[in-house]
Amino acid sequence: MARIIFLHGASSSGKSTIARRLQSRIEEPFWHISIDHLREADVLPTERFRSGDFRWEDCRSAFFDGFHGSLKAYADAGNNLILEHILDREGWLEELVDLLAGHDVFFVAIHCPLDVLIERETARGDRPPGSAKRDFETIHIGKTYDLEMQSEAGVEETVETLLRAWRGSRRSSSFIGSATD
C-alpha cells in the first residue's frame, strides 16, 4: 500500500511550494507529481496548443485519463506520492477514489484568498486569466478533506501542520475506505 498526500487547491494557491518543502521534510521517500512537471518538461506540445496547431480541448480528456492512470500505476508499484492536482471536472474525484483504492490517501484542501490567487496568477502569466477565480469558486464544493489549510500562513508553518496531521490523523475524507477496500 502506497501513501499519498493529495494537495488539492486552486491554480496559484501554493500547492507546488508546499509540495517541494514537504518532500524535503518528510521522513520517507515520496515522489512529487503534478501536471506542471509534465508541462515544464515539454511532455505536452504546449507551443502547438498555443499556436492553434492543436486544440487542448480535443486532447484534454485523454491526457487526464492517462495522468490519472499513471497515479494508480505509481501507487500500485509501491511509490509514495505527494500529488498536487485540481479536480475541476465532474467525476474526477470518484475516478481517483476508485483508482487509488487500497492506498492510504490523505486529502488536503489548500485554500488561499481570492485576491492573492488573482495576484499570483497575474504574476505567473502562464495560466489562462480567470482560472484561479473559477477554481476558487468551484473546486472545493462537495469534497470532504482530512485537513483544510490556508496557504498564506507561510510554507514552514503549513508544512509542519500538515506533517503533524498526516502522522497522527485518522482519515475522514472523500477517500475514506479506499485503503481498506
Side-chain angles (χ1 to χ4, degrees):
M1 172 173 53
R3 301 173 79 170
I4 301 166
I5 300 173
F6 189 142
L7 305 178
H8 181 245
S11 176
S12 302
S13 62
K15 297 182 300 296
S16 297
T17 301
I18 294 166
R20 281 190 299 273
R21 186 64 185 129
L22 177 62
Q23 187 182 41
S24 75
R25 296 262 327 270
I26 200 161
E27 58 272 10
E28 300 174 32
F30 273 75
W31 293 26
H32 173 196
I33 305 288
S34 84
I35 299 303
D36 288 349
H37 295 143
L38 299 174
R39 184 182 302 117
E40 292 163 7
D42 292 328
V43 170
L44 297 169
T46 305
E47 289 306 314
R48 308 270 320 262
F49 289 132
R50 285 189 187 127
S51 73
D53 289 347
F54 306 128
R55 285 181 11 97
W56 171 239
E57 283 306 314
D58 294 340
C59 301
R60 191 177 201 275
S61 181
F63 171 79
F64 279 103
D65 286 349
F67 178 69
H68 293 164
S70 76
L71 299 173
K72 175 180 175 35
Y74 294 139
D76 286 352
N79 298 293
N80 296 325
L81 306 176
I82 298 169
L83 168 63
E84 48 170 306
H85 196 8
I86 303 170
L87 300 174
D88 63 0
R89 292 292 193 257
E90 188 155 336
W92 279 2
L93 174 62
E94 295 78 11
E95 176 185 346
L96 286 169
V97 166
D98 184 53
L99 287 171
L100 300 176
H103 299 289
D104 176 21
V105 179
F106 188 67
F107 195 31
V108 182
I110 306 296
H111 297 285
C112 188
L114 181 57
D115 60 325
V116 174
L117 290 174
I118 292 169
E119 181 181 313
R120 289 176 180 173
E121 177 183 77
T122 302
R124 287 175 76 162
D126 65 348
R127 299 291 187 269
S131 61
K133 181 177 188 300
R134 183 186 61 251
D135 292 348
F136 176 86
E137 294 171 344
T138 61
I139 65 164
H140 294 295
I141 296 170
K143 309 216 176 27
T144 304
Y145 297 97
D146 294 302
L147 179 65
E148 297 199 40
M149 309 190 71
Q150 294 291 329
S151 67
E152 75 276 8
V155 70
E156 294 301 326
E157 180 181 333
T158 300
V159 168
E160 187 57 40
T161 300
L162 194 157
L163 282 169
R164 253 192 327 274
W166 173 74
R167 289 175 184 136
S169 178
R170 292 183 354 190
R171 308 300 186 245
S172 59
S173 75
S174 297
F175 285 89
I176 193 70
S178 66
T180 59
D181 290 344

